Amino acid sequence: MRILVVEDEAKVARALKEGLEGEHYDVVVAQTGEEGFFRINAEVFDVVVLDLMLPGRDGIEVLTTVRNRGLQTPVLILTAKDAVEDRVLGLDTGADDYLVKPFAFPELLARIRALLRRGRTDQVLRLKAGDLEMDLVTRRVMRGNQPLDLTAREFELLEYLLRHQNQLVSREMLTREVWKEPSRATPLDNVIDVHITRLRKKVDQDFHIKLIHTVRGVGFILREGEP
Ligand code: CA
């Protein structure tokens, strides 16, 4: 597996190269956007780790250009702490994932592995609705800058709602897909309602814009604004 690391900070680049080589990846480092761009076009990589803050041609420019040319290689961008706009911009521009500096090396490895796996199945690694973001690699859920502490069931429930956002989700769908009970004599409606109430408290209580809505007589819908 070949990885291209585009990073101008020599110390960071060296640490990435050594760490990734320790995991038996074949690593090429480019220290400028120009060089990164040149390498991406001239060689074949399985993953590109692209720093956004580069002198000259920056990461977004590199990414936009290579995506416009139809390059499909998974790209993980590195962005400065709390630069939310960068992250959104990166994902809109065609990045597959991002990591905020400073990051823990094991998380970088987990993300690279997920991208390599995804290369084959086209699975998403993050789900988003408004300022709510679910990370399927680390299983972290954030609303704005606030982490949400969810139980395993709440996480699954929210994941299902996010995957079906802007669609009506019935209690029957949740029974079948989240609770995995295809045929049940006693409906789970009350159990589902209790979980939805708890989940909604965590996701929406402290925020002006509500995301989880009840549609009377039908079920639920996750969307920004009124259903
Ligand atoms: Ca940099």
Side-chain angles (χ1 to χ4, degrees):
M1 291 289 177
R2 287 192 90 213
I3 301 179
L4 174 67
V5 173
V6 188
E7 167 64 85
D8 60 309
E9 287 162 75
K11 233 172 103 180
V12 179
R14 196 165 50 240
L16 287 174
K17 185 172 162 65
E18 281 169 12
L20 291 170
E21 281 175 349
E23 300 293 318
H24 309 292
Y25 292 109
D26 190 1
V27 183
V28 172
V29 173
Q31 289 192 323
T32 63
E34 300 294 337
E35 193 194 341
F37 179 73
F38 176 78
R39 291 271 192 168
I40 292 169
N41 282 302
E43 299 171 42
V44 177
F45 297 98
D46 297 292
V47 172
V48 176
V49 177
L50 177 65
D51 186 32
L52 284 191
M53 296 276 283
L54 296 165
R57 197 190 289 226
D58 71 14
I60 292 293
E61 246 183 285
V62 172
L63 186 57
T64 309
T65 321
V66 298
R67 284 292 186 244
N68 285 344
R69 292 182 174 203
L71 185 99
Q72 303 283 319
T73 310
V75 174
L76 171 80
I77 55 177
L78 304 178
T79 177
K81 198 165 183 285
D82 294 333
V84 177
E85 295 309 316
D86 277 5
R87 281 184 254 167
V88 172
L89 189 58
L91 294 175
D92 288 348
T93 314
D96 298 272
D97 199 3
Y98 67 79
L99 202 49
V100 179
K101 286 175 168 183
F103 51 83
F105 191 71
E107 184 173 355
L108 176 77
L109 287 179
R111 295 196 169 283
I112 287 175
R113 280 196 296 266
L115 283 173
L116 290 169
R117 275 200 304 276
R118 199 205 63 159
R120 276 163 257 141
T121 58
D122 211 29
Q123 204 189 350
V124 296
L125 304 181
R126 293 176 193 265
L127 297 169
K128 272 178 73 74
D131 61 352
L132 175 70
E133 188 175 303
M134 171 177 277
D135 186 326
L136 297 167
V137 178
T138 58
R139 295 180 69 84
R140 270 197 302 258
V141 180
M142 300 285 289
R143 176 101 200 241
N145 289 322
Q146 192 176 311
L148 305 183
D149 185 18
L150 305 184
T151 64
R153 181 70 84 194
E154 288 163 357
F155 185 94
E156 286 170 33
L157 186 54
L158 184 59
E159 179 181 350
Y160 190 82
L161 292 171
L162 276 164
R163 287 187 188 276
H164 296 82
Q165 58 185 280
N166 301 317
Q167 295 169 32
L168 274 167
V169 170
S170 67
R171 290 180 180 82
E172 292 72 38
M173 287 160 83
L174 295 174
T175 302
R176 203 169 54 235
E177 307 293 338
V178 178
W179 270 264
K180 311 283 184 207
E181 305 234 19
S183 53
R184 207 187 137 92
T186 345
L188 279 172
D189 293 10
N190 291 337
V191 177
I192 290 172
D193 288 357
V194 166
H195 278 84
I196 287 278
T197 304
R198 285 195 201 132
L199 180 63
R200 183 184 277 144
K201 205 175 252 177
K202 293 180 182 179
V203 171
D204 281 335
Q205 186 167 262
D206 298 338
F207 298 88
H208 177 64
I209 295 173
K210 308 301 178 196
L211 295 173
I212 300 171
H213 309 275
T214 300
V215 181
R216 207 173 291 277
V218 187
F220 311 97
I221 188 165
L222 188 147
R223 79 182 327 161
E224 274 183 280
E226 293 310 306

